[in-house]
Amino acid sequence: MTLYEQLGGEDSISKVVDEFYKRILADDTIKHFFEHTDMEKQRRHQAKFISFALGGPNQYSGKSMAKAHEGMNLQPVHFDAVAGHLHDALAHFGVQEKEISQVLEHVATLKDDILYK
């Protein structure tokens, strides 16, 4: 069973993404990165990306991580805040720490493509 299936598929991941962005947009250290973002489009896009990254169907057709974060100059503090909000959003929906750790391990593999761009 893929992590995508363990977490409940696309509907569950969409709910986690909504909670995730609610937390991000309330965080003064990172919310400014989304000031000019169409958040509805961003939510849909992120749900597809996370679904694919966790072993779900390949519906992701967006930019590479490096290209998507180009010019943002994200620092470790920003990455850690986002990862923390993802952790908390998953926990909010009852995902167990073992599965959360697997998700965050996968996210950590993207760090080099996101930071300092």
Side-chain angles (χ1 to χ4, degrees):
M1 183 180 277
T2 66
L3 195 50
Y4 170 81
E5 293 166 328
Q6 289 176 38
L7 296 179
E10 191 170 342
D11 287 341
S12 295
I13 289 173
S14 290
K15 290 176 185 173
V16 169
V17 168
D18 287 344
E19 180 68 21
F20 169 68
Y21 279 117
K22 182 175 97 175
R23 292 169 185 268
I24 282 180
L25 295 175
D27 184 337
D28 290 337
T29 63
I30 55 177
K31 71 181 183 182
H32 63 279
F33 290 111
F34 297 91
E35 284 178 346
H36 304 290
T37 302
D38 176 343
M39 290 308 297
E40 201 51 45
K41 180 179 175 184
Q42 180 69 18
R43 283 181 175 90
R44 285 192 309 271
H45 182 75
Q46 187 73 309
K48 287 180 181 180
F49 173 74
I50 290 174
S51 293
F52 170 63
L54 300 179
N58 185 358
Q59 302 173 346
Y60 181 73
S61 60
K63 299 174 186 176
S64 70
M65 283 293 109
K67 193 72 168 163
H69 295 91
E70 192 173 62
M72 296 177 77
N73 193 28
L74 293 170
Q75 302 297 307
V77 66
H78 303 127
F79 186 91
D80 293 344
V82 169
H85 292 308
L86 181 56
H87 173 283
D88 294 347
L90 289 162
H92 177 80
F93 287 100
V95 177
Q96 300 300 307
E97 282 299 320
K98 179 182 174 193
E99 286 79 17
I100 293 173
S101 292
Q102 290 176 318
V103 171
L104 295 180
E105 284 172 17
H106 184 76
V107 169
T109 68
L110 305 172
K111 203 171 196 173
D112 289 342
D113 291 332
I114 294 172
L115 294 181
Y116 310 112
K117 302 294 178 209

